Amino acid sequence: DIQMTQSPSILSASVGDRVIMTCRASQSIGTWLAWYQQKPGKAPKLIIFKASNTQSGVPSRFSGSGSGTEFSLTISGLLPDDSATYYCQQCNDYSPAFGQGTKVEIK
Amino acid sequence: EVHLVESGGGLVKPGGSLRVSCAASGFSFDTHTMNWVRQAPGKGLEWISSISSNSAYIYYADSVRGRFTISRDNAQNSLYLEMSNLRVEDTAVYYCVSEVGRRLFDYWGQGSLVTVSS
């Protein structure tokens, strides 16, 4: 099974900052990676698919990159509304796996 | 607008059974693979099962295989998860999730809490 590892677990930043979080796969998954945003008490929301494609309606400050085993999610110009936990997920095989999440806190 | 509404969660004793349902609307349910994803309290996301549009292909995570059964009724736009021999570690919010292909999850329900406790 493919394992996903995210870092850091918690990321604290100020409004306006550029923040980067990473996701590593235990084996190559090409660009079959998605990112989800989850706010407390809510269901996750798809924000990035196929590593670097932004889902419709998602602000352009969110961007994804990477391929193979190393991926990143960047928020350019952090807003208070971006406070959430972000999960990566491999879509490479029939048994998808999520990372453990990165919680973004606003200072 | 897409709506996925789960129901049927609740409190059950270890070893017990429960069925969670999901009512879908606002999209062509019968052309989409559907999934269940769960989240234990304060923990991350865990995919547990998927079923293809015509129920021909069904997959389970190792953690639930042999205990949980996924099914669907396309005429009723409904998805089901039959859970048996429940364990304390099955306590979680269970999300009904539609797939746009390749296990890419585009729409999620609000979740249904299942608590396994004596």
Side-chain angles (χ1 to χ4, degrees), chain A residues 1 32 34 36 38 42-46 48-50 55 87 89-96 98-100, chain B residues 35 37 39 43-47 50 59-62 65 95 100-106 108-111:
Chain A
D1 290 358
W32 294 108
Y36 300 84
Q38 186 179 34
K42 301 293 186 182
K45 170 187 171 184
L46 176 66
I48 300 287
F49 63 95
K50 214 151 184 308
Q55 178 72 341
Y87 294 93
Q89 178 226 332
Q90 65 88 1
C91 313
N92 191 59
D93 61 28
Y94 77 90
S95 180
F98 294 89
Q100 79 279 16
Chain B
N35 295 260
V37 174
Q39 186 170 36
K43 302 296 184 182
L45 301 167
E46 179 189 17
W47 170 85
S50 73
Y59 300 96
Y60 296 99
D62 290 344
R65 186 177 293 113
Y95 292 104
V100 74
R102 194 96 184 210
R103 296 293 183 267
L104 183 62
F105 303 137
D106 54 349
W108 298 63
Q110 85 288 351

Side-chain angles (χ1 to χ4, degrees), chain B residues 89-115:
Chain B
E89 54 265 35
D90 293 320
T91 295
V93 173
Y94 285 74
Y95 292 104
C96 167
V97 188
S98 67
E99 177 182 319
V100 74
R102 194 96 184 210
R103 296 293 183 267
L104 183 62
F105 303 137
D106 54 349
Y107 292 105
W108 298 63
Q110 85 288 351
S112 182
L113 177 62
V114 172
T115 303

Side-chain angles (χ1 to χ4, degrees), chain A residues 71-89:
Chain A
F71 302 87
S72 64
L73 174 68
T74 300
I75 308 174
S76 301
L78 190 68
L79 295 180
D81 188 52
D82 300 333
S83 178
T85 300
Y86 294 84
Y87 294 93
C88 65
Q89 178 226 332

